[in-house]
Amino acid sequence: MKKWLNGLLIGVTILSLVACGSKASTDEMALVEEGKFTFASSGEFKPFSVTSPDGTMTGFDIEVGEAIAKELGLEPVQKKFKFGGIVEGVKSGRFDAAVASHTITEERLEAVNFSTPYYYSGPQIYVRPDSDVEVLDDLKDLEIAVAKGTTYEKDARKVTDNIVLYDSDVTALEALNRGKHDAVITDFITGKEAIGAGMDIVGKELLGRSEQAVAIAKENKELLKKVNEALETLRENGTLTKISKKYIGEDITVDPEQE
């Protein structure tokens, strides 16, 4: 009887250890849906993410997200979401990651972790051709439009409290083009794309340099590790450069300080 009880206890212990081991393994890289890499983007930030007539998204960010999924051996699942709520969506577990041109900031790092940067850019002032604005100080107390949830609002607040928020950078630029507001602050690549699409606006002072990266929930450290490994592979095999040249016309995936 004693031997039987000892055997039972050993069996229960082994089963418990196996169960705990399985849970730990699952928790290491928790996914919204097994076998899939669910990533969010706004679909409103041309040329990084654009919504097609059928509702799917294309663009630089989207193709990078799909390339990461392929390296991870997972099926890519894109989710369109308003930019201002994407970080919270990652934090709460609604998405595995955000591949949405998020600039790495101290504030965002309090909510999520970031991968190594997958491209480098920076904010720029955009105005109509008849504007006298050249630098940020020229916009003191004037009206500046920016997209909700972006870092550009912080730049604008250095000189004015007269700020208008839009759901996307593109709609802010379209409003500027129609004669609204004194300026828009947005990513210089987005502004360049808008000018190429026919908007009658011009770029002025560049306000700095920024690093854009994939946002991942803080507790999902194994996924962060694997995404970083995937990005390193995509850098080394030229995939990131190829995607960049396809959508941007130049390589923005290399740190300008290391060139």
Side-chain angles (χ1 to χ4, degrees), residues 243-256:
I243 296 171
S244 179
K245 289 183 176 178
K246 175 180 176 180
Y247 290 100
I248 313 301
E250 59 185 285
D251 189 5
I252 60 171
T253 69
V254 178
D255 186 345

Side-chain angles (χ1 to χ4, degrees), residues 20-243:
C20 290
S22 298
K23 187 175 188 304
S25 176
T26 301
D27 287 347
E28 282 179 354
M29 191 176 79
L31 297 172
V32 172
E33 194 170 351
E34 187 177 352
K36 298 180 179 181
F37 179 61
T38 304
F39 67 95
S41 203
S42 72
E44 299 178 323
F45 193 47
K46 189 177 181 180
F48 297 96
S49 62
V50 183
T51 305
S52 303
D54 65 359
T56 61
M57 295 184 289
T58 60
F60 177 85
D61 285 340
I62 307 306
E63 202 156 320
V64 169
E66 291 172 347
I68 290 171
K70 183 178 179 181
E71 287 299 319
L72 296 177
L74 300 172
E75 178 187 341
V77 177
Q78 52 175 255
K79 294 290 185 179
K80 182 181 176 182
F81 209 70
K82 291 295 182 185
F83 185 83
I86 290 178
V87 166
E88 182 58 36
V90 172
K91 180 182 176 182
S92 66
R94 183 168 186 164
F95 317 116
D96 295 319
V99 189
S101 290
H102 281 97
T103 298
I104 301 172
T105 66
E106 291 300 322
E107 183 179 359
R108 286 173 178 159
L109 281 167
E110 292 177 4
V112 294
N113 284 331
F114 279 102
S115 69
T116 55
Y118 64 93
Y119 82 88
Y120 302 83
S121 187
Q124 187 171 11
I125 297 168
Y126 285 89
V127 297
R128 288 178 293 279
D130 60 355
S131 173
D132 294 328
V133 169
E134 294 291 337
V135 297
L136 187 63
D137 285 344
D138 294 337
L139 287 168
K140 184 173 176 58
D141 299 326
L142 298 183
E143 187 173 80
I144 304 174
V146 297
K148 294 176 185 176
T150 64
T151 57
Y152 312 130
E153 183 180 350
K154 186 176 180 180
D155 290 316
R157 291 206 179 276
K158 293 175 183 177
V159 292
T160 186
D161 290 324
N162 192 2
I163 297 170
V164 178
L165 301 177
Y166 281 85
D167 284 333
S168 78
D169 299 76
V170 174
T171 52
L173 289 168
E174 287 171 345
L176 179 69
N177 184 56
R178 293 195 306 269
K180 295 184 177 182
H181 321 305
D182 295 298
V184 167
I185 298 176
T186 185
D187 184 278
F188 83 86
I189 298 167
T190 300
K192 176 182 173 183
E193 182 78 12
I195 292 170
M199 289 193 199
D200 192 19
I201 57 176
V202 292
K204 295 298 181 177
E205 183 184 17
L206 280 164
L207 302 178
R209 171 184 169 276
S210 61
E211 299 177 338
Q212 279 62 233
V214 178
I216 296 170
K218 282 190 171 293
E219 63 272 15
N220 211 344
K221 290 181 170 42
E222 185 63 21
L223 179 60
L224 177 66
K225 176 186 173 184
K226 290 185 180 300
V227 166
N228 278 332
E229 290 172 353
L231 285 172
E232 184 61 27
T233 298
L234 295 171
R235 284 189 201 95
E236 290 179 350
N237 66 19
T239 300
L240 285 183
T241 296
K242 182 179 178 182
I243 296 171

